[in-house]
Amino acid sequence: MPTEKPRFTIIADDEIFQKVDDFRFENRFQSRSAAVMELIRLGLEAFEKQNKNKKK
């Protein structure tokens, strides 16, 4: 079943690729895409928190 969500492609070196796969399996994500989305979400939350603290 195709998704209607936007798609994009990234290029990663072997080390990053392996870290994503390690994260995926350690956290039992069903797909690499789901793991990457969680890593992006976590990174964006950390970025927003860091920027919020800089503005104080």
Side-chain angles (χ1 to χ4, degrees):
M1 176 183 283
T3 180
E4 295 297 322
K5 295 179 182 178
R7 295 175 183 221
F8 67 96
T9 302
I10 62 167
I11 299 170
D13 61 29
D14 290 338
E15 181 180 354
I16 296 292
F17 192 80
Q18 187 59 54
K19 286 181 179 183
V20 169
D21 272 353
D22 291 346
F23 177 82
R24 173 188 174 192
F25 292 114
E26 288 170 9
N27 293 281
R28 300 181 178 182
F29 284 94
Q30 290 185 350
S31 67
R32 187 177 289 126
S33 181
V36 169
M37 286 302 301
E38 178 66 5
L39 288 167
I40 291 170
R41 186 187 67 75
L42 291 169
L44 288 171
E45 284 180 0
F47 179 75
E48 290 168 356
K49 186 175 182 179
Q50 180 182 21
N51 280 346
K52 187 177 182 180
N53 289 336
K54 282 183 182 179
K55 292 180 182 180
K56 287 184 177 182

